[in-house]
Amino acid sequence: MTAFRILVKAPSNIALVKYMGKLPGGVNLPENPSISMTLSNLATYLEIKVLPAPSFSRRWVPEVPSGGKGDSPNLDRAGEEKFLAHFDRCVSRLSDTPPTGAVEIRSANTFPHSAGIASSASSFAALTLACAGLVARDRKTFEEKFKTDGSFRAELARLSREGSGSSCRSFDGPFVAWEKEQVQVLPSRLPPLSDLVVVISSGQKKVGSSEAHARVKSSPHWQGRVARAGSRFAKLGQAITGGNFQELSEIADADFRDMHQLFETAVPSFSYFAEGTTQVLDFIEEIASPSEVAVTMDAGPNVHVVVPQAEEAHWKRKLSLQFPEYPILVDREGMGAEILLIEEGEMK
Ligand code: DP6
């Protein structure tokens, strides 16, 4: 193989109806369908570089890729193995010829490690896309196909899901529905939206999301969860298509509270709520109506405040005046993963 480099960017996404609970025996197949909003600048930059070498090797290099932004994640051994196993999965699934050369993978997240924002969605989406570029026979055609062919993006999304479930919703945007193996963009009549992430705590999560997916099933409240989420999924799809922000807001509120109730009633129970979480939620409830602001939380203490872009500055000001101690990351809805550069030939 000749010297080669691909640099991609994949955004994070924020679920409005949550993926929580996996089907037994599947590869990150969800118990219930979910819908998310794709972000844009809260993202992973990832580079795969291949240097000519007599035999094949691949390694993770904890450095920021050239042309990338942010910080290289602190992967522990298990994290690194999971990442490299996904590289192997992508290569073997996407190509019939064994890879050659010395492969180096570098990535960086624009959101600081300490911000407590899950990076698995953006990093596995980025890795899947970069691998697809690496093994593509004709890289120009690949680039064009990725840009223009939604079913090709959906195919890569399915593969990415096997690395980390939520990553399958980062290939398109702004609204993506995921049901079993299928990933699909939803047409939207909503105004363009922003996500203001109020960063409450930077601590390492006590219960990781993989463990959370398993433990929620021990909750008595698990009974009926698939039906509840399924009905919200259907209604949210209609709200997005119909441009009904208030309905989106009410569904997002009900679903994140449902998920956190599962955590709190699981055996053993756990919670991501910090003191600041409740203060921010109460403040929003007091000053804003669901027709103005939608709120959600992932498996962490941060509060995602989703508002129309036209009102972004207004709500950012309100929140930072009230909570000067919590940083606020501002991002906007986005269109999904992108290829930034492909270089072939001589390389330093
Ligand atoms: C709470 O995608 O991180 O963010 O498939 O085990 O990698 P794995 O789980 P992951 O779960 C995300 C859970 C969530 C809700 C969501 O994004 O839908």
Side-chain angles (χ1 to χ4, degrees):
M1 188 182 279
T2 51
F4 168 80
R5 180 168 102 95
I6 181 168
L7 178 69
V8 304
K9 177 184 173 189
S12 185
N13 65 72
I14 178 70
L16 300 168
V17 169
K18 307 289 178 183
Y19 153 50
M20 188 41 61
K22 302 182 189 185
L23 288 171
V27 202
N28 296 336
L29 279 175
E31 286 274 4
N32 65 268
S34 59
I35 294 180
S36 58
M37 181 173 97
T38 305
L39 299 179
S40 43
N41 292 324
L42 294 175
T44 296
Y45 285 83
L46 184 140
E47 165 196 86
I48 294 183
K49 203 172 188 175
V50 187
L51 300 164
S55 60
F56 170 71
S57 65
R58 89 278 190 270
R59 70 185 180 111
W60 156 256
V61 185
E63 288 171 4
V64 177
S66 121
K69 280 187 209 152
D71 302 325
S72 176
N74 293 328
L75 289 186
D76 59 14
R77 199 162 183 76
E80 185 177 326
E81 270 165 23
K82 195 175 166 201
F83 214 50
L84 290 175
H86 188 64
F87 171 86
D88 296 341
R89 172 191 289 130
C90 291
V91 171
S92 71
R93 215 64 81 65
L94 296 167
S95 155
D96 0 286
T97 48
T100 54
V103 172
E104 295 178 350
I105 306 167
R106 289 175 176 79
S107 84
N109 298 323
T110 56
F111 38 94
H113 183 65
S114 58
I117 293 175
S119 61
S120 73
S122 55
S123 52
F124 278 85
L127 179 58
T128 308
L129 174 57
C131 284
L134 167 71
V135 303
R137 286 218 182 84
D138 177 346
R139 281 156 188 153
K140 275 264 157 295
T141 315
F142 162 76
E143 236 179 312
E144 195 49 33
K145 200 170 169 202
F146 184 75
K147 251 191 232 147
T148 56
D149 183 347
S151 62
F152 181 52
R153 289 196 295 278
E155 190 186 317
L156 293 183
R158 274 199 294 280
L159 177 58
S160 198
R161 187 207 76 229
E162 298 188 29
S164 175
S166 54
S167 72
C168 73
R169 299 182 311 226
S170 280
F171 285 80
D172 243 304
F175 294 96
V176 177
W178 167 28
E179 186 166 22
K180 302 204 170 77
E181 302 222 330
Q182 301 306 324
V183 180
Q184 204 186 327
V185 191
L186 294 171
S188 165
R189 281 208 196 88
L190 288 165
L193 301 179
S194 295
D195 182 10
L196 311 178
V197 191
V198 186
V199 180
I200 304 288
S201 147
S202 47
Q204 192 69 10
K205 285 192 212 172
K206 278 183 242 97
V207 177
S209 59
S210 292
E211 170 64 17
H213 283 290
R215 229 191 273 174
V216 285
K217 296 194 180 176
S218 65
S219 160
H221 187 60
W222 174 255
Q223 179 79 27
R225 162 70 189 163
V226 176
R228 293 193 299 277
S231 123
R232 287 182 197 127
F233 173 84
K235 286 190 189 136
L236 180 58
Q238 284 166 11
I240 290 170
T241 318
N244 189 338
F245 182 79
Q246 172 156 349
E247 177 86 356
L248 172 148
S249 177
E250 284 164 1
I251 295 167
D253 191 84
D255 201 66
F256 95 78
R257 290 183 196 276
D258 190 358
M259 178 176 79
H260 283 266
Q261 194 185 355
L262 287 170
F263 299 155
E264 277 153 28
T265 51
V267 187
S269 72
F270 57 107
S271 174
Y272 295 106
F273 273 64
E275 206 186 309
T277 309
T278 316
Q279 286 167 357
V280 172
L281 291 176
D282 289 350
F283 177 69
I284 295 169
E285 201 174 323
E286 204 182 292
I287 63 157
S289 83
S291 63
E292 301 170 296
V293 169
V295 172
T296 188
M297 287 169 65
D298 266 345
N302 298 334
V303 181
H304 291 254
V305 183
V306 176
V307 295
Q309 269 170 34
E311 305 299 323
E312 178 193 288
H314 167 76
W315 293 111
K316 161 105 195 310
R317 203 164 39 242
K318 289 232 170 221
L319 287 163
S320 21
L321 273 176
Q322 183 73 16
F323 300 107
E325 67 276 41
Y326 303 131
I328 299 175
L329 305 174
V330 180
D331 202 4
R332 293 182 165 188
E333 64 178 39
M335 299 305 285
E338 45 185 318
I339 300 158
L340 299 180
L341 172 142
I342 298 184
E343 272 175 359
E344 277 178 286
E346 285 309 299
M347 215 177 285
K348 278 177 258 154

